[in-house]
Amino acid sequence: MRYIMASSSTYNKTYPISWEQLHRDSKALAWRLVNDHYFEGLIAITRGGLVPSAIIARELNIHLVDTVCISNYDWQDRKEEGEILKGFSGKGEGWLLVDDLVDTGRTANLVREMIPKAHFATIYAKPAGRPLVDTFVTEVSQDTWILFPWDTESQFIQPIVEKK
């Protein structure tokens, strides 16, 4: 896989996610939500939450889907403050809010402030952001950069032993 990590001092490990794994993990999140909750609609946090939201909306038979659009990065560079490009009207009661990952909690804090009553679910959670979500599937360490399938491409890499 070819990728560029945000900051080498922040991230010491990588965790590559395939399309198949993302699909399985999205379904696992739907399983966690199916019996305990009824949602009148789903709000995807763009862009990372779009693919998981499509899978979860199908599995939970949710047809009313909306988005909130927040920009924290300009390509590789983190912006000073998150920018809300598209918001949501209402407090979110009865709505499911979905993102691929909660990392530092920066995006999560913005959406929690905007939509405080929505049930917030992510596929992956890191320790710094974990308290901000209601439901997640997999916890990863804070120093891990998750490589999502839309950010990678396949290519030959050296075996680990050769990198020493």
Side-chain angles (χ1 to χ4, degrees):
M1 307 261 179
R2 277 184 38 187
Y3 55 90
I4 300 171
M5 296 189 300
S7 167
S8 58
S9 63
T10 306
Y11 303 102
N12 300 316
K13 298 175 234 156
T14 57
Y15 184 52
I17 305 291
S18 67
W19 287 109
E20 293 81 10
Q21 182 176 351
L22 184 73
H23 191 263
R24 278 191 307 271
D25 291 345
S26 296
K27 282 185 83 164
L29 184 55
W31 273 111
R32 290 194 179 176
L33 297 166
V34 71
N35 292 325
D36 298 332
H37 306 282
Y38 167 79
F39 301 106
E40 66 180 75
L42 184 149
I43 306 162
I45 299 174
T46 69
R47 292 179 310 213
L50 288 171
V51 173
S53 291
I55 296 163
I56 292 164
R58 178 197 183 273
E59 296 301 328
L60 299 182
N61 200 28
I62 298 172
H63 292 271
L64 184 56
V65 177
D66 203 342
T67 60
V68 293
C69 305
I70 297 173
S71 178
N72 282 313
Y73 293 92
D74 185 15
W75 177 220
Q76 294 172 286
D77 300 320
R78 182 177 287 233
K79 292 181 178 180
E80 195 71 25
E81 283 186 29
E83 181 181 1
I84 299 171
L85 304 174
K86 178 184 176 284
F88 180 81
S89 61
K91 300 290 182 194
E93 192 162 353
W95 284 76
L96 175 61
L97 181 63
V98 176
D99 205 354
D100 56 351
L101 162 72
V102 61
D103 189 333
T104 62
R106 189 172 171 188
T107 299
N109 276 316
L110 281 172
V111 295
R112 275 285 192 209
E113 206 172 280
M114 183 190 331
I115 314 166
K117 298 202 182 262
H119 184 94
F120 194 0
T122 63
I123 310 282
Y124 309 104
K126 292 186 180 180
R130 184 176 164 212
L132 297 166
V133 298
D134 300 306
T135 308
F136 68 94
V137 175
T138 303
E139 185 169 352
V140 296
S141 64
Q142 200 67 44
D143 65 343
T144 298
W145 182 261
I146 298 178
L147 298 169
F148 288 100
W150 49 82
D151 290 330
T152 61
E153 60 184 28
S154 295
Q155 73 174 31
F156 175 79
I157 59 168
Q158 290 287 336
I160 293 171
V161 72
E162 299 294 327
K163 293 181 182 181
K164 287 182 165 183

